[in-house]
Structures are given as structure tokens and as C-alpha cells.
Amino acid sequence: MTEEQREQLRAAPRTVISVDAMGGDRGPSAVVSGLARSAAKNPDIRFILHGNAAVLEKLVGKRRALEGRVEIRHADEVVTMEAKPSHVMRHGQGTSMWSAIDSVRKGEAPVCVSCGNTGALMLLSIVRLRKLPGVNRPAIACLWPSRSPQGFNVMLDVGADVRADEHDLLQYALMGTSYARNGLGLERPRVGLLNVGTEENKGRAELKAAHDMIETCAAQANYDFVGFVEGGDIPSDKVDVIVTDGFTGNVALKTGEGTARLIGDFMREAFKATPLSRVAALLAYTSLRRLKKRIDPRRVNGGVFLGLNGTVVKSHGSSDATGVSAAVKLAFELAQSGFSERLAQRVATAACTEDDPKTAIARSAQ
Amino acid sequence: MTEEQREQLRAAPRTVISVDAMGGDRGPSAVVSGLARSAAKNPDIRFILHGNAAVLEKLVGKRRALEGRVEIRHADEVVTMEAKPSHVMRHGQGTSMWSAIDSVRKGEAPVCVSCGNTGALMLLSIVRLRKLPGVNRPAIACLWPSRSPQGFNVMLDVGADVRADEHDLLQYALMGTSYARNGLGLERPRVGLLNVGTEENKGRAELKAAHDMIETCAAQANYDFVGFVEGGDIPSDKVDVIVTDGFTGNVALKTGEGTARLIGDFMREAFKATPLSRVAALLAYTSLRRLKKRIDPRRVNGGVFLGLNGTVVKSHGSSDATGVSAAVKLAFELAQSGFSERLAQRVATAACTEDDPKTAIARSAQ
């Protein structure tokens, strides 16, 4: 890139996404290929790309769609998928992940995207970006294909922390509401709490406490609380935001993805089974392609870290170009809506009336 | 039924299944319709049917396949889906569920099937059949469609208890191994422990402890331990038995079913989308039907309660005839393999060497 091009990049009133090129299972070529896809579709997008400069310059140079739209920041080191988050926190300063997050910290980009080690990315994000005032446990929110008119439901936490008490769950309800409003355009989202039954006497103690707290805050925080929901309701039209702890949410997310992949494979086998079914697959090509797109987990790739000063999008470790491109699209949309600022405002002002002792607890936890 | 028919029923060397006709969401007609389907397919099956005699006689009388193969036991009351398990335990003696379990207790049938209230069925089963010596928390095991050669993997616990400590998880590994051996014919099942990552440093404390205990017992108890598995691995070919607590397992099960239903609906829409795709659906009819059967959650309907003196199969509350028939088929197969006796023997003898303090703990928990 020439100095002139670099100048042009900085001057343009475009949305800049900071991208960690090195962390994923498939390496930087999958990442750059995904960026090229996004750039071709979206003329308003620019990237700051963090990683090994020699490798990245070569990869970016091959993609015409990326010409003049990528600034490369060299980082010597890579956070591996096996690295311990605490080690990365102490010694990760030379890594591409650290550098990518710091672009958000310095205000060079409103959003960061990484396919790297989730635990390390979360911990680095917390340490470098810091939690929003009042947030105890940040969460990762994902979009889930659903029967809702908007086509997706929000679920959180899907893996930031393996624990969550009732105060955390209430915060997740508030943060998820904000995400649904800014990311999906829902004015008054319906919030449900994930449990093993919809009866109020079921489940773990912290869930019963969270049920009451989330119910009490609904009016003030402008969401509808639909009560307990079950695993089968996650893709349903009866709820928009599903609240759960990061252990359960992560298992549910991966189970749903695994089931979708299994059925996809079975479907391909079914269409190869007989000559007639092969003809059928040709005839139904367009419809089947639309179906595939609708249920492809890579298309909804990108968990969003909520509760920090800045937005971080975590793409799957195994993301290919399609997955990276989906994560970049999500990052772009959140950046454009000014999501970080809105969420901060929401968490700061989401107060329930203090008349009720229960909500006073909720408030003190915020 | 004439006295002669009744005599004939008792004399025949057939497998008798005790069935609670009243508990499910769809009432006794769905249950009887499912029994008729099973009876038509399987000449070796007989039923003791528990519920309102007047209603049941009418329903059974309409089904030729059931002629001379059903003994009806009148029960005045029904355990509703909303009933509190503890209330049913104290006051449930006149219910069809109680009566159905007691047929197993008295040795009239080796297996009981019910679509009723899971919590009540579990608690009644524990109280009336009693836990096997050494079992702390009984579990519900389900079959999950998978890429494994046997077509299914076993997962447990999927909802008997919302908690499980490391000792319970080890017992689940032992009981699941026994189920996989008797129900799926796997001589040396591969056991995995569900977690949010496959790295050994991830997840909750009790999971790390369980990991070591299950690993230590593998050789003695004749299974292979594959370590931690994730949600996406549940339908995979890298594991046969997935061990988890009842909260996580229940959410995963319902999430998987919900995802399968969602994709099924999307698929139907796709085939109705254009005239060409409608023709395609006709051409691929046989293949699609096979696919539907392969992923239909009703076909693998039937959780099995493990760890009791006798086998209880819990069918979905919303089971229709297909679901009930699948649960009956599973009950029949388990009865034929003498599963209850084998499991009892397994839990009693599954001793790990006591040289290692870890396994001594495991043993003391059995």
C-alpha cells in the first residue's frame, strides 16, 4: 500500500473493522478470503488487518476487491487455540489478537472481529476494553435462525462464562434486549429464561430467583417477559431473546449447529440415493439452495461480546470465507447502529423502581 | 374381553408391557392408537393397560390389532402434567401411573411405558421400584440419531435431576455403557463427557473431577473414554455414550429436537416454493420419506429410566401414535434383552481398582 492509498483510507468516511487475521483454525487465508467477499458486497467497509505483515500482504495483494481498503498492522505472534487465557493476558502483547482489540481501544475502529481462542479473546477484551460500569459478567450473544418474523432470535450467554447467578441473568436480559433492539430492530423484545420446563416450580434455585427479577424489571426496561422457555423454544416465534448461563447456552448452540449439520448431510445422502431423487435435486435446486442458506450455521456466524466498552465479534474458530464474511457483516451493522454507545446507556439507565426489595437487589447488581 | 381370552393372554409366552394410558397431552386415544400400531407389527407383544376402563374398553374395542392382546386395569385418577411430583407421591395411589408402575413392581410386566408428567413418573418409579443398590441419582437416557454405524448415540441424564456431581456422572457413564451394550449391541462403547470445550482445563470443577474418575474406571468397566465432547459431537461418530447432568442434557435434547423440527418445516416450505420444486418433491418422495423417518424425533421417542429395580420408558408428553409406538418398541427390546437384570449386575460389579484413591472414592459412591 502506498502512503497515498493509506491517506485515502483514513480520510474516507467509511466504517472501519479491526480484524485479527491469525487466530482461526484455517489460518489467515480463510480470513482474507472472507474479507474480500465482504468488501465486494459492501463498498462502505474498510479493514485494519492484524497479523504477520509478509503473509498478509501477499494474501491481500491477490484480492482485487481489497485493493486500497486494507491497512495491515504487523504482529509477530499468534494466540493459539490451545493457549491459556490467563497466559495470553499476561504475555499476549505482541499477538495479532491483542493488536486487533487495541484498535478498538484507541478508537481507530468501533468493532473488532476474531476467529481466535474464545477464552483468550474474552479475557483480553475485558482487560483491554474494560467492562461497562455496572456489568459483572460480560456475555456472548448469538443469533439463532427462528420462526420469528425477523428470522433470528438472540441467545446469551453462549460461552463467556460457565457460571451465572440471578443478577447476571437479569443483566443478560437487559443486554439482550438492547442487542435485539439495535441488531434486529425489535422495539419491545420478548425475553424468555431457559429452563427444563415452563412451570414456575421447576429448575435450579438461581433460575427461580432470576425469573422474579426479570419479571419485575420488564415494564421499566421495556421488554415483555414470557417466563421460562425450553430448548425447543429457542428457534420459536414465542420469544426473541433467550437468557441462560454460558455453559448451557454453549452446549445448546453447538447442539443446534451439530443437528443442522447432521440433517444437512442426511439430506444430501437422500438426494443422491436414487436416479429419480438426483433429478429431483436438480429441479428443486433454487429452493434447496435457499433452504441451505437459511439453515447454514456459517451464515449466522458471529457471537457478540456484550457488556464492554466497545464491540467484539467472535467468529467460529473453524470459520471459512463464508463464516468470516457473515461475522464481518454483523460487525458492520452493529458499528453503523452505534450499538456500543446505546448498550452502555441502556445498562446505565436500566433501573427498576426501588420500592420493591427484589428490584433494589437487581439495581445494586447493575 | 372374555375370561377365556384373558386366560389365553396370561398363558402365552409373550412379552408383556405395562402401559399408562392416561398421562399424555393427547389423552388415551393417542396411546391406544400407538399400541395398535405396535401390535400389528409385532405378534409377540401383549399389554396391560392402566386407566379409565370404560374409556379404554371403547378405544381398544375399535382396534382389531389389539384383539385379545390387552388386559385393562381400571384406575380412577390421572396424574396431570401440572401435578407436583411430591403430591403424586403421597396421594397418587389411585392413578393410572401408579398402577402401571406397580405392574412392574409385582413382576407382571418387565417394563412400563408412560407419556405422563416426567417428574411424577420419576419420583413414583423411585419410590415404588426403588433405586438399585449403590445408585445415588437415577438418570433418564435417550437415543440420539447419529453418524455412528448403529445409527444412534445414547445420552444421559436428559432430565431426571437438574444436578449431578462427579460421582453421579461416573455412575451415568457406567449405566450408559450398559444401555449401549444391551440396547445398541456395542461391546465396548465409547464414552464422552459433555463440556464447553475439549481442552482438559475447561469447564466446571465437577466436570474436571468426573473426567479423571471416568478415565480411571474405563479399563475395568470395559468402555473407551474419549474425554470431553461438545454439543456438536452428540450426533457424531466419535462417541457412543454422552454423559451430562440432567439440566444440560434436557436443554440439549429439546434444542436438538426443536432444530430438527425447524429444519423440517423449512424443508416443507422449500418444496412448496415453486412448481418445479413441487415436482421435485414428488420425484424424491421415497428418499425424502426415508430422510423424514431418519430425523423424526418421534421415532426415537422414549427416554429410559436407569438405576431402578425395573425398567420405565418415558414417552414424550406430546406423543402421538408414532411416538407411543416407538416407545413401546424400545420397551419391548429392552425387556427381551433382560436389560434390568444386566444393569443391576453391572452397577453392582463395576468396581475400579482400589489402589488409586480417586477410584476408591468412585467405588464408595456406587
Side-chain angles (χ1 to χ4, degrees):
Chain A
M1 194 182 283
T2 64
E3 192 50 46
E4 188 188 3
Q5 280 176 327
R6 200 166 289 168
E7 200 49 52
Q8 205 178 356
L9 180 69
R10 283 192 195 122
R14 307 304 193 192
T15 296
V16 181
I17 315 283
S18 171
V19 178
D20 170 16
M22 309 303 285
D25 294 336
R26 297 179 188 229
S29 70
V31 174
V32 171
S33 162
L35 300 189
R37 214 176 271 210
S38 296
K41 280 189 209 157
N42 183 343
D44 295 330
I45 205 165
R46 297 290 181 276
F47 302 101
I48 304 176
L49 193 55
H50 305 259
N52 185 302
V55 172
L56 293 179
E57 264 157 25
K58 216 167 155 187
L59 288 169
V60 169
K62 283 187 204 155
R63 303 282 177 171
R64 291 195 58 182
L66 293 176
E67 211 179 315
R69 298 171 71 178
V70 179
E71 182 182 338
I72 293 169
R73 294 276 172 85
H74 179 72
D76 268 324
E77 288 169 61
V78 176
V79 174
T80 64
M81 287 313 222
E82 299 73 37
K84 281 206 172 186
S86 55
H87 180 88
V88 176
M89 187 185 75
R90 283 191 302 272
H91 308 287
Q93 203 157 358
T95 63
S96 59
M97 187 185 277
W98 184 293
S99 176
I101 292 171
D102 261 25
S103 274
V104 175
R105 187 176 193 232
K106 292 182 215 147
E108 296 175 325
V111 186
C112 159
V113 172
S114 173
C115 316
N117 182 324
T118 307
L121 185 64
M122 189 81 215
L123 194 54
L124 271 193
S125 298
I126 293 173
V127 171
R128 299 302 292 164
L129 302 180
R130 303 224 162 260
K131 293 189 258 184
L132 284 175
V135 169
N136 179 30
R137 287 186 214 268
I140 306 177
C142 75
L143 293 176
W144 195 291
S146 81
R147 292 187 173 88
S148 300
Q150 70 272 15
F152 299 101
N153 292 343
V154 171
M155 184 158 86
L156 74 166
D157 174 26
V158 297
D161 202 311
V162 294
R163 279 163 307 261
D165 66 16
E166 53 269 35
H167 306 291
D168 299 320
L169 293 170
L170 172 61
Q171 285 189 339
Y172 296 172
L174 297 171
M175 298 196 296
T177 295
S178 186
Y179 183 32
R181 201 168 282 146
N182 293 283
L184 298 174
L186 298 172
E187 204 173 321
R188 194 179 170 86
R190 295 162 300 169
V191 174
L193 184 59
L194 192 61
N195 199 351
V196 295
T198 52
E199 305 86 9
E200 293 192 16
N201 62 341
K202 275 203 171 177
R204 295 168 167 160
E206 72 269 25
L207 287 179
K208 291 173 204 167
H211 182 284
D212 294 345
M213 287 165 67
I214 295 173
E215 189 164 46
T216 308
C217 283
Q220 288 264 356
N222 205 25
Y223 57 79
D224 286 325
F225 183 51
V226 300
F228 287 135
V229 295
E230 297 187 271
D233 298 321
I234 299 173
S236 78
D237 186 23
K238 66 188 252 191
V239 64
D240 303 304
V241 176
I242 297 103
V243 170
T244 188
D245 67 272
F247 186 90
T248 310
N250 188 272
V251 169
L253 174 65
K254 287 179 178 162
T255 302
E257 289 173 348
T259 307
R261 268 197 304 272
L262 182 80
I263 296 174
D265 290 352
F266 282 180
M267 202 150 51
R268 261 182 294 283
E269 283 172 38
F271 278 112
K272 282 183 192 155
T274 67
L276 265 188
S277 64
R278 257 172 260 149
V279 174
L282 281 178
L283 290 183
Y285 182 72
T286 318
S287 305
L288 286 177
R289 240 190 109 187
R290 203 176 318 119
L291 170 67
K292 196 184 156 197
K293 200 167 162 177
R294 211 165 163 189
I295 62 171
D296 186 348
R298 295 173 305 168
R299 301 261 166 195
V300 288
N301 187 26
V304 178
F305 291 179
L306 302 179
L308 303 172
N309 293 298
T311 303
V312 176
V313 174
K314 164 70 176 80
S315 183
H316 259 297
S318 59
S319 294
D320 57 8
T322 308
V324 171
S325 175
V328 165
K329 186 175 175 225
L330 177 62
F332 178 82
E333 282 164 7
L334 290 174
Q336 287 234 316
S337 77
F339 173 62
S340 296
E341 299 73 29
R342 289 177 183 224
L343 179 70
Q345 200 177 7
R346 171 152 201 87
V347 172
T349 61
C352 306
T353 48
E354 289 203 32
D355 312 338
D356 184 325
K358 267 184 213 142
T359 54
I361 297 168
R363 194 193 170 92
S364 76
Q366 276 169 16
Chain B
M1 193 183 283
T2 65
E3 191 48 48
E4 190 190 1
Q5 279 177 327
R6 201 165 288 168
E7 201 48 51
Q8 208 180 351
L9 180 70
R10 284 192 193 123
R14 308 303 193 194
T15 296
V16 181
I17 314 284
S18 172
V19 178
D20 169 14
M22 309 302 286
D25 295 333
R26 298 180 187 228
S29 70
V31 174
V32 172
S33 163
L35 301 189
R37 212 175 270 209
S38 296
K41 281 189 208 154
N42 183 345
D44 295 329
I45 205 165
R46 297 290 181 274
F47 302 102
I48 304 177
L49 193 57
H50 305 260
N52 185 302
V55 172
L56 294 179
E57 265 156 23
K58 216 167 153 185
L59 287 169
V60 169
K62 284 186 202 153
R63 303 282 177 171
R64 292 194 59 181
L66 294 175
E67 212 179 314
R69 299 170 70 177
V70 178
E71 183 183 337
I72 293 169
R73 293 278 172 85
H74 180 71
D76 270 324
E77 289 168 59
V78 176
V79 174
T80 63
M81 288 310 223
E82 299 73 36
K84 280 206 171 182
S86 54
H87 180 88
V88 176
M89 187 185 75
R90 283 191 302 273
H91 308 287
Q93 202 157 1
T95 63
S96 59
M97 188 185 277
W98 185 292
S99 179
I101 293 169
D102 262 25
S103 274
V104 175
R105 188 178 194 228
K106 292 181 215 149
E108 297 174 325
V111 186
C112 161
V113 173
S114 172
C115 317
N117 181 320
T118 307
L121 185 64
M122 189 81 215
L123 194 55
L124 271 192
S125 298
I126 293 173
V127 171
R128 300 301 293 165
L129 302 179
R130 304 222 160 264
K131 292 188 261 185
L132 285 175
V135 168
N136 179 32
R137 289 186 213 268
I140 305 177
C142 75
L143 293 176
W144 195 292
S146 81
R147 292 187 173 87
S148 300
Q150 70 270 17
F152 298 101
N153 291 342
V154 171
M155 184 160 84
L156 75 169
D157 174 25
V158 295
D161 202 311
V162 294
R163 279 163 305 264
D165 66 16
E166 55 268 37
H167 307 290
D168 300 319
L169 293 170
L170 172 61
Q171 283 189 339
Y172 296 171
L174 297 171
M175 298 196 295
T177 296
S178 187
Y179 182 32
R181 201 167 283 145
N182 292 282
L184 298 174
L186 299 171
E187 204 173 321
R188 194 180 170 84
R190 295 161 300 169
V191 174
L193 184 58
L194 192 60
N195 199 351
V196 295
T198 54
E199 305 85 10
E200 292 191 17
N201 61 342
K202 275 205 171 177
R204 295 168 167 160
E206 74 268 26
L207 287 179
K208 291 172 204 166
H211 181 284
D212 294 344
M213 286 165 69
I214 296 173
E215 190 164 47
T216 309
C217 282
Q220 289 265 356
N222 205 25
Y223 57 79
D224 286 326
F225 183 51
V226 301
F228 288 134
V229 294
E230 297 187 89
D233 299 321
I234 299 173
S236 79
D237 186 23
K238 66 188 252 193
V239 63
D240 303 304
V241 176
I242 297 102
V243 170
T244 188
D245 67 274
F247 186 91
T248 310
N250 188 273
V251 168
L253 175 64
K254 287 177 178 163
T255 301
E257 289 174 348
T259 307
R261 268 197 305 273
L262 182 80
I263 296 174
D265 290 352
F266 283 180
M267 204 152 44
R268 262 182 296 282
E269 283 171 38
F271 277 111
K272 282 183 192 155
T274 66
L276 264 187
S277 63
R278 260 171 258 150
V279 174
L282 280 178
L283 290 183
Y285 182 74
T286 319
S287 305
L288 286 177
R289 241 191 107 187
R290 204 179 315 120
L291 170 66
K292 197 184 157 198
K293 198 166 161 177
R294 211 166 164 188
I295 62 171
D296 186 348
R298 296 173 305 168
R299 302 260 166 196
V300 288
N301 188 24
V304 179
F305 291 1
L306 301 179
L308 304 173
N309 293 297
T311 304
V312 176
V313 175
K314 164 69 176 78
S315 182
H316 258 296
S318 58
S319 294
D320 57 7
T322 308
V324 171
S325 175
V328 165
K329 185 174 175 224
L330 178 63
F332 178 83
E333 282 166 4
L334 290 174
Q336 288 235 315
S337 76
F339 173 61
S340 295
E341 300 72 30
R342 289 177 182 224
L343 179 69
Q345 202 178 6
R346 172 153 202 85
V347 173
T349 61
C352 304
T353 47
E354 291 202 31
D355 312 340
D356 184 324
K358 271 186 215 140
T359 54
I361 297 168
R363 191 193 174 92
S364 74
Q366 275 168 20

